[in-house]
């Protein structure tokens, strides 16, 4: 991260998520985009952007393996905010992926499956922008504990904003309930982190919040975030 961005990151660290979003919009305008998986943090950001900067586009990575509840949440959000979210698809259909790499790749090599269905599509969409917004929070996992509200994304070569980085789980849900934001009902069924249906299970009390992702594998991230 260059010196100028370090100064900005230091200045925005104590600011509210709304202040970070306003600064990002003023600085990057049409070169700014929000990535959404329609999880709790992302619906908060969608609501904030609707209030502050409704022209900022929102995209989602459609792996073709999401829960039906995730697609239904997408539809409710689009209706609520009068928005049309950008669908980003993998270059391979599920049938083409199975023909090339074997059936049910997610069970044999989840890293390769995520690379094909998430990372490569993300690389394509982010190449069109100079900055992106994510719902990363530090308390979500050890791999996210050092996330800054503004940082340089070395993997995708653009500026990355994490406006909710210092928010707690309770703050996220207080916002959702206070503003009556549509959210994925799976969150009420012990799914704190929701990915593809084939790679996500319920998390029982006492387990790590991300224990439900790729259960049985030494994997807690899909490769979108370092």
């Amino acid at each position: 991260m260059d010196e100028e961005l370090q100064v900005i990151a230091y200045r925005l660290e104590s600011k509210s998520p709304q202040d970070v979003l306003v600064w990002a919009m003023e600085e990057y305008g049409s070169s700014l985009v929000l990535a959404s998986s329609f999880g709790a943090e992302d619906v908060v950001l969608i609501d904030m952007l609707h209030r502050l900067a409704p022209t900022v586009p929102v995209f989602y990575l459609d792996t073709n393996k999401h829960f039906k509840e995730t697609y239904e949440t997408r539809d409710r959000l689009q209706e609520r905010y009068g928005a049309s979210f950008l669908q980003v698809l993998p270059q391979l259909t599920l049938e083409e992926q199975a023909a090339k790499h074997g059936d049910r790749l997610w069970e044999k090599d989840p890293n390769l499956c995520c690379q094909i269905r998430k990372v490569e599509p993300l690389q394509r969409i982010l190449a069109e922008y100079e900055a992106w917004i994510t719902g990363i929070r530090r308390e979500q996992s050890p791999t996210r504990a050092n996330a800054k509200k503004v940082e340089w994304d070395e993997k995708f070569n653009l500026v990355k904003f994490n406006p909710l980085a210092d928010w707690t789980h309770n703050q996220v849900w207080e916002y959702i309930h206070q503003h009556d934001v549509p959210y994925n009902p799976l969150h009420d069924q012990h799914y704190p982190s929701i990915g593809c249906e084939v790679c996500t299970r319920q998390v029982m009390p006492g387990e790590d919040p991300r224990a439900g992702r790729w259960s049985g594998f030494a994997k807690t991230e899909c490769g979108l975030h370092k």
Side-chain angles (χ1 to χ4, degrees), residues 10-209:
Y10 178 81
R11 182 156 50 92
L12 292 179
E13 179 58 37
S14 61
K15 301 295 184 180
S16 70
Q18 291 91 338
D19 288 338
V20 174
L21 290 172
V22 168
W23 189 93
M25 179 59 190
E26 290 176 348
E27 185 70 15
Y28 291 97
S30 61
S31 293
L32 178 70
V33 69
L34 167 65
S36 176
S37 64
F38 308 116
E41 290 80 10
D42 296 337
V43 302
V44 166
L45 290 171
I46 287 172
D47 186 84
M48 288 180 176
L49 279 177
H50 176 73
R51 297 167 186 274
L52 298 169
T55 60
V56 173
V58 177
F59 75 84
Y60 65 101
L61 303 175
D62 192 348
T63 64
N64 303 123
K65 297 300 289 184
H66 290 307
F67 288 90
K68 68 177 180 61
E69 290 89 347
T70 300
Y71 291 114
E72 290 167 355
T73 301
R74 172 202 62 191
D75 295 343
R76 287 189 295 126
L77 288 162
Q78 289 187 139
E79 183 177 358
R80 167 74 174 270
Y81 299 111
S84 181
F85 305 135
L86 303 173
Q87 179 193 46
V88 182
L89 289 163
Q91 291 185 319
L92 296 180
T93 65
L94 288 168
E95 293 74 20
E96 290 168 339
Q97 178 174 297
K100 185 173 183 179
H101 298 287
D103 197 23
R104 303 180 71 83
L105 180 61
W106 49 87
E107 293 180 353
K108 298 176 293 184
D109 192 343
N111 286 325
L112 178 57
C113 192
C114 284
Q115 179 69 24
I116 294 169
R117 310 210 72 75
K118 290 187 175 183
V119 178
E120 290 175 359
L122 182 63
Q123 287 173 325
R124 280 189 280 113
I125 186 70
L126 290 185
E128 302 177 17
Y129 296 92
E130 295 178 14
W132 68 311
I133 305 163
T134 85
I136 282 180
R137 292 186 301 107
R138 291 169 192 149
E139 73 169 18
Q140 285 173 326
S141 68
T143 58
R144 301 179 178 191
N146 296 318
K148 297 179 175 61
K149 290 186 180 179
V150 187
E151 56 191 6
W152 178 252
D153 190 328
E154 296 180 359
K155 183 164 188 172
F156 299 108
N157 294 309
L158 76 172
V159 176
K160 183 176 183 179
F161 291 93
N162 307 308
L164 303 179
D166 61 348
W167 268 29
T168 64
H169 173 270
N170 288 342
Q171 284 177 291
V172 170
W173 284 99
E174 285 170 4
Y175 186 98
I176 288 173
H177 294 312
Q178 180 181 353
H179 297 283
D180 192 28
V181 181
Y183 67 88
N184 195 323
L186 290 174
H187 287 309
D188 295 330
Q189 302 171 38
H190 304 291
Y191 286 89
S193 178
I194 304 169
C196 293
E197 184 173 12
V198 292
C199 294
T200 308
R201 67 163 175 83
Q202 291 174 305
V203 174
M204 295 299 102
E207 287 189 300
D208 183 274

